[in-house]
Structures are given as structure tokens and as C-alpha cells.
Amino acid sequence: MSFQVSDTDGIVLVAVDGELIVGNREAFKEVVIDQLDDGGRKFLIDFAESSYIDSSGLGALVSLSKRIREEGGELRLAGLNDDLRTLFELTKLNTLFQISDSRELALADF
Amino acid sequence: MVEPRRRVLIWSGRPEVVADLTARVRELDPEASVVSPSGESNGERPDLVFIDLTSSPRTAREARATYGLETELIAIVDSGSVDDLLPAIAAGCSDYLFHPINGAELRLRWQRHVAGRGGDRPHRPAGLSGTLHLEFPSSVGYVRHAVAEVVEACERLAFAGSRATLNLRVALGEVLANAILYGNDEDAGRLVRIDADLKPGAAVVTVTDEGSGFDPSAVLDPTLPENRDRSHGRGLFLLRTLADEVDFSERGNAVTLTVRSSGG
């Protein structure tokens, strides 16, 4: 369970390895907000190595997205497996986020 | 009748843990034989094995395999080994103690597992046999381990696929988070208990906390456009959407969720 942060042409890429759930959502938010405070505005969260997000994790994504929008930026998602896609569809959060199939597609398009 | 001498093993690589436990066990039972830390028992079956999850030379699974069901296994856990606790309990530890050892807690375990033992002790099944029982302190750090144990057991014993990896996993995670955060107010002194009954047709899992319950009817629909931007309020929605049945106890502190192997 870890978050790898890197910068690709001005896009802050956060790769989630493991789960994004109640036990680590605060650490996740800190990682992203640190980057926002450092001037990052385009954020891509890659879930290719993640298979489990709970309501706390979804809530963290929603509140981060709101905060980033307020600063004039945007948060997008990539690499969701079928289970995670279903989760976003059930909660209608697929209407709130731009979701790409892969990190590469998302980076090319951002 | 003369009681047989109690035999206790301490599996720990930390001399201070061995010394502390040895002294405390001798206080409880001056006659007890305490052996450490080699993991050897001179061929005689021990009554109790303390397994220091930070530094034990052998695992709970090995202890269970070597000594069978009649030996009690107690995990010694501290901040460095919390992540190992649930796997150890799933592997056969019957109980745990936090390090540094609290004398009253140790006495309770001793009375529960050693002093009161007799021929009428209830039978404990070997490993998983369709049911799984876990009990752990109210800290959100336990959620992923507890969920993983139940989902893995479901995949082994009942059913696999997205009904296990999505429906059961997320629904159970939501119930546990609620029990820890709202039921037990994240008070690590209060326990959360999982009783899972896993059959090929369905997983039926009850989560019980020590809180006073809550009103499950007072929840917004998070999928409505005006609520979609809210950071809270999706837990119960996901639970109700992903589980086939959800029952709350009258007091509201126990939730039973049923996920069937196929939708409907």
C-alpha cells in the first residue's frame, strides 16, 4: 500500500499501489495536497496497481477534485479495473471525473 | 487432585519480552514450566505458546501444525507488528496481547485459556471450515487485513469472481469502517467482531461493535446530482447496493450482510 508521485511534463502522476480506503485516505490526501501547494495543477491518479477503493477513498477523490478545481486545476483518473469501474458507475462518480483506460492515454490527452 | 504442571513456550527473539513474560507467568503460576525461545518443547506438548509477532523464530501456522488444537497460541503484538496480527489469528492464534504487557490483560488470558481448562472445553475447529471469526481493536488500520481474510476465505470455501472481490469486499469494508469510526468511536479499547459463514451459495457476515447503534434510515442518496460533490455519504449506499441483503440488529450495533454467489 503506497503512493508513487512523479512529474511528467507538468502533470503530477500519483500511482496507487494497493488500496485506497479508510485506513490510508488521509495519507493519500496529504500526498496530493502537498503537490497542489507546490504549484501542481494537473493531477492524474493511476489505479492500474489497485483493486480496492471504499467510500472513504471515493470521498477523498471527490474532496481533492473539488479543492484542485478551486485552484484552477483538474484531477483525472486512469487504469481502473472492472470492479473499480463498476464502483464509479454505481455511485455516478464517472460523471464527475474524466476516466481513461490507461496512464499513457490519459497523459497524451491531458 | 494434583493439577499437572503447566507448560508454556515463549517464541521471541527479544530478550526483554522473554524476561518480562517469564516473570509474569511465574507470578500467575509459580509451578509453571517456562521455556524459551528456541521453539523446542522436549517432546511434550505445551499448554500455551506466546508468539512474538515482531521476532518469533516460528509462525502460528507452524505451532498449530506441530502441537495440534489443544495448545493455545497467543500472539504478542506491538506497533511494529500490528499488520501481522490478523494473519496470525487466521493461522490459528486464539488470542493476542499488546506489548508492553499489561499484567491484568495477561491474567485474563491465563484464566481464559490455561487455568480454566478442563475436559469440557469447547471444540475449536482446525483452521477454516466454512466459518471465520475475527475480533480486533477499533483502528481503521485493521480494515484491509480483516476484509482480505474474509474475501480470501470466501474465494477458497464459497465462491470467487466479482461477487467476492467487489460485492463482498466493498460491502464488508463499509460495515467495518462504520463499526470502527461511528460504532466504537475509534476507541482501540473497544472490539469489533466478525462472524462469517461461507457457503458455496452465499457469504453471510455479521459485524458487531460495542457502540449504541445508529439509525440506518437517515441517509442521503449520493447519486443525485446535488449530492455527487459531497465527500461523505456513500458507505451505506454501497453496502445496500452491493450486498443482496442487509439486516441491522434492533440496537443497531450489529449488521448482517449477505452476498450470494450470483446476483439477484
Side-chain angles (χ1 to χ4, degrees):
Chain A
M1 186 165 72
S2 67
F3 314 112
Q4 304 294 330
V5 184
S6 55
D7 193 305
T8 310
D9 296 332
I11 300 168
V12 179
L13 176 70
V14 183
V16 179
D17 189 354
E19 307 86 358
L20 178 57
I21 59 172
V22 62
N24 66 350
R25 87 240 196 237
E26 290 300 335
F28 174 72
K29 282 168 81 171
E30 264 176 43
V31 163
V32 173
I33 285 172
D34 280 352
Q35 294 295 321
L36 184 66
D37 290 345
D38 284 350
R41 289 297 176 265
K42 291 180 170 182
F43 289 83
L44 177 64
I45 316 296
D46 184 0
F47 287 97
E49 298 300 324
S50 177
S51 60
Y52 178 22
I53 302 177
D54 70 2
S55 66
S56 299
L58 294 174
L61 290 171
V62 168
S63 71
L64 284 171
S65 170
K66 211 152 92 179
R67 173 111 180 241
I68 291 168
R69 260 184 282 137
E70 285 165 5
E71 301 286 336
E74 190 182 352
L75 182 148
R76 296 184 181 181
L77 311 176
L80 302 173
N81 70 17
D82 288 347
D83 284 352
L84 296 186
R85 265 191 185 274
T86 304
L87 214 51
F88 278 80
E89 285 161 14
L90 287 174
T91 50
K92 302 273 199 303
L93 287 179
N94 55 336
T95 63
L96 206 68
F97 294 100
Q98 180 152 337
I99 302 174
S100 301
D101 285 343
S102 73
R103 170 193 300 202
E104 291 72 23
L105 287 172
L107 286 173
D109 196 34
F110 213 145
Chain B
M1 193 180 93
V2 178
E3 292 235 338
R5 199 173 177 215
R6 306 293 185 194
R7 297 183 53 81
V8 175
L9 292 187
I10 302 172
W11 287 359
S12 173
R14 296 189 288 182
E16 71 277 17
V17 173
V18 174
D20 187 28
L21 268 173
T22 303
R24 289 176 184 277
V25 166
R26 292 228 160 96
E27 272 174 35
L28 292 166
D29 182 351
E31 299 296 314
S33 143
V34 185
V35 182
S36 65
S38 65
E40 298 306 321
S41 68
N42 304 328
E44 283 185 54
R45 188 186 62 75
D47 296 288
L48 178 67
V49 183
F50 290 105
I51 303 175
D52 179 1
L53 296 184
T54 301
S55 63
S56 171
R58 300 170 70 192
T59 65
R61 205 175 291 281
E62 286 175 82
R64 193 51 84 207
T66 307
Y67 301 122
L69 293 174
E70 290 303 303
T71 294
E72 297 290 349
L73 309 179
I74 294 186
I76 304 295
V77 60
D78 59 19
S79 57
S81 59
V82 162
D83 284 358
D84 300 325
L85 179 56
L86 280 172
I89 287 175
C93 280
S94 21
D95 217 326
Y96 61 90
L97 273 174
F98 281 104
H99 177 265
I101 308 290
N102 172 299
E105 290 285 309
L106 175 62
R107 191 174 316 114
L108 185 71
R109 299 323 192 264
W110 186 264
Q111 283 161 354
R112 185 185 292 168
H113 300 296
V114 182
R117 291 176 60 153
D120 57 352
R121 213 161 59 92
H123 172 69
R124 183 151 39 84
L128 300 168
S129 61
T131 63
L132 181 68
H133 306 284
L134 300 171
E135 201 170 38
F136 51 92
S138 296
S139 162
V140 291
Y142 288 105
V143 171
R144 81 183 172 105
H145 301 289
V147 169
E149 289 298 334
V150 176
V151 170
E152 280 169 24
C154 177
E155 290 176 310
R156 274 202 304 276
L157 301 164
F159 52 88
S162 71
R163 301 291 299 175
T165 59
L166 173 66
N167 295 64
L168 177 61
R169 188 185 220 179
V170 176
L172 176 59
E174 299 304 335
V175 177
L176 289 177
N178 275 338
I180 291 168
L181 294 175
Y182 307 117
N184 285 349
D185 290 328
E186 271 192 282
D187 174 353
R190 292 172 160 190
L191 298 176
V192 172
R193 183 179 169 83
I194 298 177
D195 296 285
D197 187 7
L198 307 163
K199 298 175 198 148
V204 180
V205 186
T206 299
V207 174
T208 308
D209 62 53
E210 298 186 51
S212 51
F214 77 112
D215 177 8
S217 61
V219 177
L220 294 169
D221 180 350
T223 64
L224 294 175
E226 63 268 30
N227 292 337
R228 246 172 254 172
D229 226 9
R230 295 169 65 102
S231 61
H232 290 87
R234 291 182 185 81
L236 270 180
F237 169 81
L238 286 176
L239 169 62
R240 289 205 159 105
T241 305
L242 293 170
D244 295 297
E245 286 174 36
V246 182
D247 294 300
F248 295 87
S249 69
E250 203 168 311
R251 193 176 127 191
N253 71 321
V255 180
T256 300
L257 66 99
T258 302
V259 174
R260 284 188 270 277
S261 55
S262 53

